[in-house]
Amino acid sequence: MSGRAPADFDAIVVGAGFAGLYMLHRLRGLGLRARVFEAGDGVGGTWYWNRYPGARCDIESLEYSYQFDAELQQEWHWSERYAPQAEILRYIEHVADRFDLRRDVQLSTRVTAAHFDDASGLWSVETGSADGSAERERHTARFCIMATGCLSATNVPDFPGLESFRGDTWHTGRWPHEGVDLEGRRVAVIGTGSSAVQSIPFFAEQAEQLTVFQRTPTYSIPAHNAPLDPELEREVKADYAGFRARAAALAFGANFPPNETLALDVSAEERERVYETRWEAGGLGFVTAFGDLLRDRGANETAGEFVRGKIRSIVHDPEVAEKLLPSQVLGCKRLCVDTGYYDTFNRDNVHLVDVSASPIEAITPRGVRAGGREHEVDAIVFATGFDAMTGALARIDIRGSGGRPLADKWAAGPLTYLGLSTAGFPNLFVITGPGSPSVLANMVPAIEQHVDWIADCLAHLGEHGLSRIEALPEAETAWVEHTNAVAQETLFPFCNSWYLGANVPGKPRVFMPYIGYPTYVAKCEEVAAKGYEGFALG
Ligand code: N01
């Protein structure tokens, strides 16, 4: 690359999860000097932090893995249909060792700032120790690549009195590594999203009393998790590439083939039969039971009513069942996948507190006050989710050309071209950023697609003696408008989901992920084939 000012590294990567590690591997393959900074004391990202009991993937293990190395995917054996957190973390650690990645990963190091310097054309990245105790350091690099994750910045609501609580508090996304003993304790869980749905059955087994504070009832589909079927594993491994290609044509992978038939085009009996089949199969495939579930409210309502019927049949106490019935559009918040969630509310030691009408008023020294009543507990679990998609970036002081803060540029919501790049921030890439399919695709292949695109782009720059790439404002505007237009054709904007930023008070309400993985991949390929159309190269 021409015009190169001396820099500590060719590229700095922030985060050592699935995205950062594969990015490092590709950068090395290009002969570039790279350093990964990671706040955690180990690699793994999401799967390093989310160690709460019951944490596991909602995408089947044979699909939730890297495909860049044929031997790796042949040799790794998953033990269950849906891999538990510890096994996914072992897999990521195995990849780090197998490809000798650790020597360029600096752990326990938090990136606090990343500033672009117009004069040198370099990024200056400031790091400190993860606990803030060590001196800050600065490192320069031509490229800065954010592999900071979509669901990594935890969200603990600002409940009055939080600091006064005398017991223990934990967030599911920062679960203590040594585990937590709930034996004989009265425990509160705040939230009923995926993390709560997975952990509540485990907490209920251990705790003396478990009180669940629910603001929005959730739709959850049984996982029907089981040991991985060896016959299926053999079949997939006999043609893993073909399996991956089939998966790439769908949102959530090869085992979730969508049914194109419209729900309202078939009889009520036929709908019931299809829903029952999907419920028995388990998992996220429920939402693709018919082609119009996320487009037509009437169609969606039939699926919602089916799940409500299931909840009524599982939960014995009709009053509790009634409280658990979701009424929002099914699937417009991420569908949950569970093992025994609704059934847990049949236990004598589990209590459900509906805080939809009367929100949690305060955390008191002895518990949680809601609806004018204090619920005394010894510990509180915040299963309150994440400042999704933009939160991890917002927690870094990122400044582009002319010193412009990203926080200012994104004050009304994230603006990106392809979710990969943002105008005014040259040589900055975001892996699975807002405006890309990310959380509405299978994350690992979506990450690989982004990493490959970025690596190919850097190779292109090198081959053409170029050192700078930046999204053009007009390409970005068109992409943001297109992303919004696609979302508006669906039912996704109709709930208070984290896809919209609606879970974090004050966050701009903008639908962040791009809907349509195959279309998106084709667009990225077209942009590259046209010499990085929509980008200024120099
Ligand atoms: O977080 P969430 P999560 N008072 O935002 C409630 C992925 N994931 O960690 O819905 C009371 O979904 C909030 O209520 P409401 C997956 O993509 C995957 O569970 O906003 N309650 C909600 O119930 C998932 O979608 C897996 O009304 C408050 C809950 O807290 C994403 O991560 C497992 C509140 C937060 O739910 C996030 O899931 C785990 C308040 N002030 C996570 N504020 C799998 O692979 C928030 N809540 C299976």
Side-chain angles (χ1 to χ4, degrees):
M1 290 171 203
S2 69
R4 182 183 277 181
D8 299 334
F9 305 103
D10 293 312
I12 285 176
V13 179
V14 187
F18 268 111
L21 290 178
Y22 180 45
M23 191 73 245
L24 172 61
H25 180 64
R26 285 296 320 262
L27 290 167
R28 280 213 196 133
L30 295 173
L32 298 178
R33 287 170 308 122
R35 168 69 54 89
V36 180
F37 294 113
E38 164 58 55
D41 296 337
V43 299
T46 289
W47 298 104
Y48 172 86
W49 297 108
N50 285 269
R51 296 168 187 243
Y52 60 82
R56 65 174 69 245
C57 195
D58 59 3
I59 302 279
E60 300 196 21
S61 356
L62 286 166
E63 310 198 30
Y64 194 80
S65 54
Y66 290 121
Q67 55 193 297
F68 69 84
D69 188 278
E71 276 178 26
L72 170 68
Q73 68 179 4
Q74 285 299 327
E75 74 196 12
W76 186 264
H77 166 69
W78 297 102
S79 64
E80 296 176 59
R81 179 182 177 190
Y82 295 100
Q85 172 270 335
E87 191 167 321
I88 300 175
L89 185 57
R90 268 204 308 283
Y91 169 77
I92 299 174
E93 287 171 341
H94 167 75
V95 171
D97 292 332
R98 194 185 191 286
F99 296 94
D100 187 24
L101 299 175
R102 292 186 195 262
R103 65 187 155 86
D104 288 319
V105 178
Q106 189 171 319
L107 298 173
S108 316
T109 305
R110 181 171 292 284
V111 170
T112 51
H115 295 176
F116 183 72
D117 176 50
D118 287 295
S120 64
L122 298 180
W123 280 91
S124 171
V125 172
E126 184 185 83
T127 59
S129 57
D131 62 5
S133 61
E135 290 262 312
R136 301 238 162 137
E137 289 183 1
R138 285 198 169 273
H139 318 264
T140 54
R142 172 80 48 199
F143 298 99
C144 182
I145 303 169
M146 296 296 178
T148 39
C150 293
L151 293 159
S152 48
T154 53
N155 169 48
V156 177
D158 192 13
F159 294 116
L162 186 56
E163 298 307 317
S164 72
F165 183 61
R166 290 205 206 104
D168 290 316
T169 61
W170 306 285
H171 187 283
T172 48
R174 289 289 178 276
W175 202 253
H177 288 196
E178 62 281 12
V180 166
D181 184 7
L182 299 179
E183 206 66 44
R185 301 174 85 179
R186 297 164 304 170
V187 179
V189 176
I190 301 179
T192 51
S194 299
S195 303
V197 159
Q198 288 187 327
S199 55
I200 281 171
F202 287 83
F203 296 149
E205 293 271 338
Q206 294 167 13
E208 187 184 296
Q209 300 293 326
L210 183 72
T211 307
V212 177
F213 292 85
Q214 171 192 268
R215 187 166 68 179
T216 310
T218 193
Y219 290 103
S220 190
I221 309 300
H224 297 310
N225 189 36
L228 186 62
D229 175 3
E231 188 45 44
L232 176 68
E233 184 178 5
R234 261 194 303 279
E235 248 175 55
V236 168
K237 286 189 172 176
D239 178 23
Y240 226 136
F243 179 75
R244 297 290 196 178
R246 286 194 300 284
L250 311 167
F252 287 116
N255 287 337
F256 296 105
N259 177 7
E260 297 303 336
T261 307
L262 305 184
L264 298 181
D265 280 357
V266 300
S267 66
E269 292 71 32
E270 174 59 5
R271 277 199 297 272
E272 194 72 6
R273 188 193 66 74
V274 171
Y275 290 140
E276 194 62 51
T277 308
R278 296 264 167 164
W279 182 269
E280 279 313 310
L284 294 175
F286 189 84
V287 83
T288 55
F290 289 102
D292 49 354
L293 292 189
L294 286 168
R295 297 189 175 272
D296 182 304
R297 234 175 165 137
N300 191 281
E301 184 52 23
T302 65
E305 190 46 34
F306 177 86
V307 177
R308 287 191 288 274
K310 287 290 183 189
I311 298 170
R312 288 189 192 99
S313 72
I314 296 168
V315 179
H316 305 157
D317 181 333
E319 268 182 44
V320 177
E322 197 57 33
K323 281 195 225 166
L324 285 167
L325 300 183
S327 58
Q328 75 270 19
V329 170
L330 178 144
C332 78
K333 281 182 183 233
R334 173 91 169 192
L335 208 54
C336 296
V337 176
D338 74 283
T339 300
Y341 173 65
Y342 295 120
D343 195 33
T344 298
F345 291 91
N346 290 325
R347 297 176 63 109
D348 292 338
N349 69 332
V350 176
H351 318 283
L352 181 63
V353 179
D354 178 355
V355 294
S356 58
S358 44
I360 293 172
E361 291 145 21
I363 306 292
T364 68
R366 291 184 306 184
V368 180
R369 198 172 68 229
R373 180 180 159 202
E374 184 179 51
H375 300 264
E376 283 191 29
V377 292
D378 306 309
I380 302 174
V381 175
F382 292 102
T384 43
F386 301 88
D387 182 353
M389 305 205 68
T390 54
L393 296 171
R395 290 174 194 192
I396 302 171
D397 172 18
I398 301 173
R399 296 181 192 215
S401 192
R404 185 177 188 198
L406 185 67
D408 286 0
K409 182 179 173 188
W410 286 10
L415 304 170
T416 72
Y417 181 38
L418 301 172
L420 278 160
S421 174
T422 185
F425 294 75
N427 292 357
L428 177 77
F429 294 99
V430 183
I431 300 176
T432 62
S436 75
S438 61
V439 293
L440 290 181
N442 175 354
M443 275 313 284
V444 185
I447 283 169
E448 280 185 298
Q449 185 259 337
H450 261 195
V451 169
D452 286 337
W453 192 96
I454 295 166
D456 292 349
C457 173
L458 299 189
H460 175 92
L461 295 179
E463 282 157 19
H464 292 81
L466 302 166
S467 60
R468 181 174 164 130
I469 179 164
E470 182 181 350
L472 292 170
E474 55 272 25
E476 177 173 287
T477 303
W479 183 253
V480 170
E481 281 171 6
H482 172 61
T483 302
N484 288 335
V486 173
Q488 290 306 325
E489 285 168 18
T490 72
L491 299 175
F492 275 109
F494 289 94
C495 333
N496 292 324
S497 68
W498 57 256
Y499 298 139
L500 272 168
N503 62 325
V504 175
K507 190 166 173 174
R509 204 181 162 99
V510 175
F511 193 79
M512 293 183 283
Y514 180 83
I515 301 168
Y517 183 66
T519 321
Y520 174 83
V521 173
K523 173 71 181 171
C524 289
E525 286 170 1
E526 183 193 317
V527 164
K530 290 185 175 167
Y532 296 90
E533 187 182 47
F535 289 93
L537 275 55

